[in-house]
Amino acid sequence: MHNKQQRDTQHDKRQQMIDFETSWYQLGGGSSSAISERFGLSDREFFGEVDRIVTDDPPATLTSGELRRMRGVIRRRLWMAR
């Protein structure tokens, strides 16, 4: 049961991250302070994880154009966070 709860918690956090970025990518991504406050992560950590998520399991709710724009924001924010 413990492993299932851990997987569910991890899935919930990943979904929250995708939901957050889906609502912010059109504005260049969420602010560093909002990311830190909500997820306890740096920009580099957050956008690195979101990049892995959209690569492994792209949100079905986004069109291919929206996903392309989101990936552009993710790449830009990762570059800025170097």
Side-chain angles (χ1 to χ4, degrees), residues 27-46:
L27 301 171
S31 71
S32 297
S33 61
I35 290 167
S36 178
E37 288 172 18
R38 182 151 179 200
F39 299 103
L41 301 172
S42 68
D43 282 9
R44 182 110 186 113
E45 293 166 325
F46 176 82

Side-chain angles (χ1 to χ4, degrees), residues 6-73:
Q6 199 171 24
R7 280 194 310 271
D8 289 348
T9 300
Q10 185 178 17
H11 174 76
D12 290 346
K13 183 175 181 180
R14 290 168 57 106
Q15 186 61 52
Q16 289 172 12
M17 292 171 79
I18 287 297
D19 291 346
F20 178 87
E21 189 54 24
T22 298
S23 68
W24 280 99
Y25 82 92
Q26 293 179 354
L27 301 171
S31 71
S32 297
S33 61
I35 290 167
S36 178
E37 288 172 18
R38 182 151 179 200
F39 299 103
L41 301 172
S42 68
D43 282 9
R44 182 110 186 113
E45 293 166 325
F46 176 82
F47 285 102
E49 182 61 21
V50 171
D51 187 43
R52 284 186 285 282
I53 295 167
V54 299
T55 297
D56 295 346
D57 188 19
T61 57
L62 297 178
T63 67
S64 60
E66 291 169 329
L67 188 56
R68 185 175 55 253
R69 287 189 294 279
M70 180 186 278
R71 285 183 169 142
V73 169

